[in-house]
Amino acid sequence: MLLSRISQSLKQLSPASLLAALIVAASPASAEDRTPPPGAPDATTTIDGRYLPNPPPPFGGKINLNAYQSKPFWPPRIVPPKGAPNVLLIMTDDVGFGAPSTFGGVIPTPALDRIAQSGLRYTQFHSTALCSPTRAALITGRNHHSVGYGQISETATGFPGYDSIIGPETATIGTILRENGYATSWFGKDHNTPAFEASQAGPFDQWPQGMGFDYFYGFVGGDTSQWQPNLFRNTTAIYPYLGHPGWNLTTAMADEAVAHIKMLNEVDPAKPFFVYYVPGGTHAPHHPTPEWVDKITSMHLFDKGWNELRDTIFANQKRLGVIPQEAQLTPWPSDLLKNWDSLSPDEKKLFIRQANVYAAYLAYTDHEIGRVIQAVEDAGKLDNTLIIYISGDNGSSAEGSPNGTPNEVAQFNSVEVPVADQLKYFYDVWGTDKTYPHMAVGWTWAFDTPYKWTKQVASHFGGTRQGMAISWPEKIKDAGGIRDQFHHVIDIVPTILEATGIAAPVMVNGIAQKPIEGVSMAYAWNKANANAPTRHETQYFEMFGNRGIYNNGWYANTVPISPPWLLGATPDPDVMNAYKWELYDLTKDWTQNDDLAAANPDKLRELQDLFQVEASKYQVFPLDNSLATRMVTPRPSVTAGRSEFTYSGTLTGIPMGDAPQLLGTSYTISADVEVPEGGGDGMILTQGGRFGGYGFYLLKGKPVYVWNLLDLQRECWEGKDALTPGKHTLTFELDYDGLGFATLAFNNTSGIGRGATGTLKVDGEVVATKEMEQTIPLILQWDETMDIGSDTGTPVDDIDYKIPFAFDGKIDRLTIDINRPKLSPADMKRLAEGAQRSNSSSE
């Protein structure tokens, strides 16, 4: 009976429907049972990868007037070479060589331990000494100057090696793998979108999607609060922390990556993935959860201080074999930093708290990385996954000052907070969202054991030597092995390409590609080649004028003339001639401890000449050792050349690099608003947040303008009377005192900008006027944005309001007019005299 009904139904079908039914019936039960013929819907192909995207194949079917007389042909889906592994590329932030337990540190990092124990530990792997540059080199396989990242994006200048633009001639590993059939994703820090192209207006070719990553979940910029981050999903700002106290990005990011890996494995289990996982930890602000702070504090890891910590780490490193037994511990820089025994009880108490919070942040970050690794195992893909775990994108950071800081934004404006004030106001909330904290430099130096110097210093290994572990159980069989070959972050891309069997392209989107400048590290994966000579024979280093050159075991380098924690310093600009050089034989002196420059001047001169050759080849010139001046240099943002800005309604999320800059200048803000009946609350305009910025708002009907001076002081202008319902014009004028810096104080701090006079008006009438003795000179809180009609991130005044503090009226028109100060003839004369003195001193 059933067969009869089926037969009758088939007779009623049209010829086309019958053909379709027969095609479905003829489909195989499983695509794995056969090799699909060319043109089949499930046909695949592996490309040679030299020209990307791959040119479309010719139509291989047959076309007649009627479809049933024709033969369809589907272009084959591109897949990687057979057996190509999944790739999980992990890199943490600002972690010194001696911080994690895997490389002798006292801070537990079991996830990094796991990769090292199942694979290989690399002991001479190097970064560029700074965030953006290392990351640019990591994803392109080229030196950082070659791809425009001779410094961080926020200090970009108009030279090829320093413009912070990864050009189309240097396609990233994301682009290469995606065009060869990988699912590509990026989680965490994106410090490679130029600060002047980070707005909603785009362009987006320098965002992760434009650099070859199908999916992005993370923040844009150098760092962000883990409690209220500057967070994006692809190119859309999101605020998942709203209404969720205790939410933390470190965990949320791992949740997102775990879910993404699970989704990929279930939707298309045959498709390999490339996951680029780069959390904010442990760059400041150090924001672990309270549970991790309690856990680390109870371990008492730092109670004996930084000098003894160095000795402990050094002994651990020899025991683990990550430095040679004959390696020497470089001396403590007593001329720069205090010994622990010379500190006061208050200093010790504060500094131990700082170290506990930092260590909690590293342990917490590693724990969440462990969850991502476990997700790969849970998907059944651990054996055929190449996991590269780089501990830090540069050495431990010294950007917190010798005393540390509760607010890194203050430190970047050359404002240091005394120990007594840190203890009184910030000790109990250190690491919470009430602080943007960074530890004292003594800990920084200890976490870079056994090397000298820190992040930013490219001349010494304290700034550039990173612990790294690589595992691939299916291919790397020397579990727990150690590799001492000299390598650099530019070697990661060629290593991934060799592992996947994918060629480096010669042309992408019609643009000829610069050659990959790194070398693959796969040659030493086999245990038989564990002691093979390094294939990375020459490598230059340069950052802010500090530089070095490695060649076949020899290393020549300059000596820093200004410590990196003096962020407002003005070193001699004659970079080529102002620095002393050192010379080391690394085959005998692992830690740069025995300077041979005086004994071997010919070798030193040879390496100095080689540096110039390499620097010329890779766009390193012109050398520039300035920092503060580069932070404020004009860049081609959407605000370039503009002095008047007009907005209306609500607009949030304009990043700092694309917003009007109101520092060191006079300005007028005018807002035409409509106040509703029974209303008069909410944000009109704000830029920055809890750790530095301004806000213009109505509070219970009264107009208020607040300057938050780095969370150390707040200046407020407020009208006495609430506004009546209806239309009003609110104006705030700030008259800046002039160019330069004043030596004024916040609680005995110094280096803040000159003063100003502010005037608040309602409908043309003055309602408040006040003088500020000092202003912020250089930079507002960089992970915040400019917002109109609402406030994202954190408030500039926690007492007055809570975010989002949306305006309950209407903003018809908002204008910002900037009246930048101009140099007087006397100013010009002083600048000329200063330049002449500088030139004379360098001759």
Side-chain angles (χ1 to χ4, degrees):
M1 181 70 70
L2 177 61
L3 289 176
S4 174
R5 267 185 291 201
I6 293 174
S7 176
Q8 187 64 31
S9 297
L10 288 175
K11 290 178 181 177
Q12 297 172 358
L13 289 175
S14 66
S17 299
L18 181 60
L19 178 62
L22 291 173
I23 290 173
V24 171
S27 297
S30 171
E32 297 176 358
D33 296 339
R34 64 185 182 89
T35 300
D42 54 346
T44 61
T45 187
T46 297
I47 62 176
D48 68 18
R50 293 179 300 159
Y51 297 90
L52 300 177
N54 193 58
F59 179 71
K62 181 180 178 182
I63 298 177
N64 283 312
L65 296 178
N66 295 307
Y68 75 92
Q69 297 170 319
S70 304
K71 180 181 179 183
F73 184 92
W74 291 95
R77 182 166 51 92
I78 295 172
V79 297
K82 186 176 181 180
N86 305 291
V87 181
L88 173 58
L89 176 57
I90 303 163
M91 185 169 66
T92 52
D93 201 331
D94 285 8
V95 181
F97 184 84
S101 56
T102 318
F103 291 89
V106 300
I107 304 172
T109 51
L112 182 55
D113 289 346
R114 176 182 184 180
I115 300 306
Q117 290 162 4
S118 64
L120 305 172
R121 229 176 303 220
Y122 280 79
T123 64
Q124 289 199 86
F125 182 80
H126 298 84
S127 66
T128 71
L130 206 60
C131 304
S132 284
T134 291
R135 293 161 189 273
L138 175 66
I139 62 174
T140 65
R142 286 105 172 169
N143 286 294
H144 54 303
H145 294 89
S146 290
V147 291
Y149 271 93
Q151 75 302 294
I152 58 174
S153 173
E154 293 82 352
T155 59
T157 57
F159 298 101
Y162 299 90
D163 59 13
S164 76
I165 297 172
I166 297 176
E169 75 281 7
T170 52
T172 73
I173 186 64
T175 294
I176 297 170
L177 293 186
R178 181 173 68 183
E179 295 297 338
N180 279 274
Y182 272 77
T184 59
S185 55
W186 181 333
F187 297 89
K189 178 172 174 175
D190 166 21
H191 206 185
N192 293 122
T193 296
F196 49 85
E197 291 189 356
S199 79
Q200 305 93 316
F204 298 108
D205 60 302
Q206 297 286 299
W207 283 63
Q209 279 80 2
M211 291 189 279
F213 293 87
D214 295 319
Y215 185 73
F216 172 58
Y217 179 91
F219 60 95
V220 177
D223 63 37
T224 193
S225 167
Q226 298 297 296
W227 303 110
Q228 297 98 6
N230 170 35
L231 189 61
F232 292 85
R233 176 173 280 112
N234 299 319
T235 58
T236 301
I238 58 174
Y239 310 97
Y241 51 83
L242 287 174
H244 296 92
W247 183 98
N248 190 291
L249 177 57
T250 307
T251 293
M253 188 177 124
D255 290 344
E256 190 82 8
V258 167
H260 189 75
I261 291 170
K262 180 176 182 293
M263 178 276 294
L264 291 174
N265 190 53
E266 294 178 357
V267 172
D268 192 357
K271 187 171 188 174
F273 61 75
F274 170 49
V275 173
Y276 179 41
Y277 193 86
V278 278
T282 56
H283 197 295
H286 303 155
H287 279 164
T289 60
E291 295 80 7
W292 281 97
V293 175
D294 292 343
K295 180 178 180 178
I296 294 296
T297 300
S298 68
M299 299 173 71
H300 298 282
L301 300 174
F302 308 107
D303 292 0
K304 295 181 179 179
W306 45 56
N307 296 100
E308 188 160 328
L309 176 64
R310 289 186 88 224
D311 294 336
T312 299
I313 295 172
F314 188 60
N316 289 344
Q317 289 170 337
K318 288 194 172 183
R319 175 179 53 81
L320 290 171
V322 296
I323 62 173
Q325 295 302 308
E326 65 274 13
Q328 297 174 306
L329 179 61
T330 53
W332 181 259
S334 298
D335 56 329
L336 296 173
L337 301 172
K338 294 180 181 179
N339 286 289
W340 185 260
D341 291 343
S342 69
L343 300 177
S344 69
D346 278 355
E347 288 174 320
K348 290 180 179 179
K349 178 182 178 181
L350 174 66
F351 297 161
I352 290 171
R353 173 69 169 173
Q354 294 173 355
N356 281 331
V357 170
Y358 172 80
Y361 193 25
L362 178 56
Y364 173 37
T365 298
D366 180 83
H367 170 79
E368 297 298 331
I369 289 171
R371 292 180 54 223
V372 177
I373 296 170
Q374 186 60 45
V376 177
E377 182 174 21
D378 292 344
K381 295 191 171 183
L382 188 63
D383 282 351
N384 195 34
T385 297
L386 172 64
I387 300 180
I388 302 172
Y389 188 157
I390 304 169
S391 178
D393 56 356
N394 42 245
S396 191
S397 172
E399 293 158 356
S401 94
N403 289 332
T405 180
N407 179 4
E408 189 191 28
V409 186
Q411 178 64 16
F412 268 85
N413 282 285
S414 298
V415 176
E416 297 187 13
V417 185
V419 168
D421 288 343
Q422 294 193 46
L423 276 173
K424 182 177 181 179
Y425 299 110
F426 301 104
Y427 181 87
D428 291 333
V429 293
W430 202 274
T432 71
D433 69 344
K434 305 304 180 187
T435 59
Y436 211 91
H438 201 306
M439 64 192 171
V441 178
W443 297 121
T444 300
W445 205 283
F447 290 138
D448 286 328
T449 300
Y451 306 111
K452 294 183 240 183
W453 290 103
T454 66
K455 173 185 176 179
Q456 291 193 25
V457 180
S459 55
H460 289 74
F461 294 150
T464 64
R465 187 157 286 181
Q466 313 301 141
M468 180 180 67
I470 297 180
S471 76
W472 183 9
E474 197 170 276
K475 297 293 183 180
I476 299 176
K477 301 300 184 181
D478 186 17
I482 291 177
R483 298 295 183 267
D484 295 329
Q485 290 83 3
F486 189 99
H487 280 288
H488 188 269
V489 67
I490 62 174
D491 297 336
I492 296 299
V493 164
T495 300
I496 293 173
L497 293 180
E498 181 172 348
T500 58
I502 292 172
V506 297
M507 187 171 288
V508 176
N509 293 320
I511 305 296
Q513 297 293 290
K514 284 185 177 181
I516 299 293
E517 293 163 4
V519 301
S520 172
M521 298 181 291
Y523 65 91
W525 284 353
N526 191 302
K527 189 172 183 177
N529 298 327
N531 298 314
T534 182
R535 294 184 182 177
H536 196 125
E537 297 177 347
T538 302
Q539 179 62 47
Y540 83 91
F541 296 82
E542 191 278 335
M543 191 63 61
F544 297 129
N546 292 302
R547 52 205 186 276
I549 181 74
Y550 169 85
N551 183 247
N552 291 317
W554 285 93
Y555 191 78
N557 60 268
T558 61
V559 179
I561 59 177
S562 178
W565 52 91
L566 296 181
L567 298 169
T570 54
D572 189 329
D574 184 9
V575 184
M576 283 299 295
N577 300 306
Y579 289 69
K580 176 188 174 184
W581 281 78
E582 299 172 333
L583 176 68
Y584 298 100
D585 181 357
L586 298 182
T587 64
K588 301 174 183 176
D589 179 16
W590 189 269
T591 61
Q592 292 175 283
N593 196 55
D594 184 13
D595 180 14
L596 304 177
N600 200 339
D602 292 340
K603 188 65 177 180
L604 175 60
R605 193 173 302 108
E606 173 191 329
L607 290 177
Q608 289 173 317
D609 291 343
L610 180 59
F611 175 84
Q612 293 211 46
V613 171
E614 296 295 291
S616 298
K617 184 189 305 182
Y618 297 119
Q619 303 185 161
V620 179
F621 295 120
L623 297 177
D624 188 347
N625 60 9
S626 65
L627 178 57
T629 54
R630 282 202 271 183
M631 290 178 69
V632 297
T633 192
R635 283 176 275 276
S637 75
V638 296
T639 65
R642 297 170 62 190
S643 296
E644 182 175 329
F645 303 84
T646 303
Y647 309 92
S648 63
T650 299
L651 176 63
T652 61
I654 304 174
M656 291 299 176
D658 294 286
Q661 299 304 305
L662 303 186
L663 300 182
T665 187
S666 300
Y667 60 87
T668 299
I669 300 171
S670 182
D672 295 330
V673 302
E674 295 182 35
V675 177
E677 292 282 350
D681 263 327
M683 184 60 64
I684 297 171
L685 171 67
T686 183
Q687 188 176 14
R690 179 176 292 133
F691 304 103
Y694 64 86
F696 194 5
Y697 49 90
L698 295 186
L699 185 64
K700 296 180 179 178
K702 296 180 181 180
V704 178
Y705 195 96
V706 172
W707 255 113
N708 174 348
L709 302 176
L710 305 174
D711 200 30
L712 303 173
Q713 181 177 323
R714 283 169 174 79
E715 298 287 0
C716 178
W717 295 257
E718 183 174 353
K720 294 181 180 180
D721 300 318
L723 300 181
T724 58
K727 294 189 175 185
H728 295 276
T729 298
L730 310 179
T731 306
F732 182 80
E733 299 173 352
L734 187 118
D735 185 13
Y736 185 60
D737 286 351
L739 292 169
F741 294 84
T743 306
L744 299 167
F746 291 132
N747 299 327
N748 298 319
T749 59
S750 64
I752 200 68
R754 288 188 181 275
T757 300
T759 302
L760 178 62
K761 298 179 181 179
V762 175
D763 298 326
E765 294 189 11
V766 175
V767 298
T769 184
K770 187 177 186 179
E771 292 185 2
M772 285 196 295
E773 293 184 354
Q774 54 265 311
T775 58
I776 299 174
L778 290 177
I779 190 169
L780 300 180
Q781 186 180 343
W782 43 79
D783 65 335
E784 295 275 356
T785 59
M786 190 179 93
D787 301 325
I788 299 162
S790 187
D791 192 1
T792 63
T794 60
V796 292
D797 193 322
D798 287 286
I799 296 175
D800 275 0
Y801 69 93
K802 307 297 180 186
I803 60 169
F805 199 43
F807 184 50
D808 60 10
K810 181 181 178 183
I811 301 173
D812 293 323
R813 179 182 172 90
L814 175 75
T815 62
I816 302 173
D817 289 299
I818 302 175
N819 182 18
R820 296 179 178 86
K822 298 176 177 60
L823 290 171
S824 68
D827 292 327
M828 297 291 287
K829 182 179 178 181
R830 284 194 295 269
L831 285 173
E833 291 171 348
Q836 186 176 5
R837 285 194 299 271
S838 177
N839 291 335
S840 298
S841 65
S842 64
E843 291 175 353

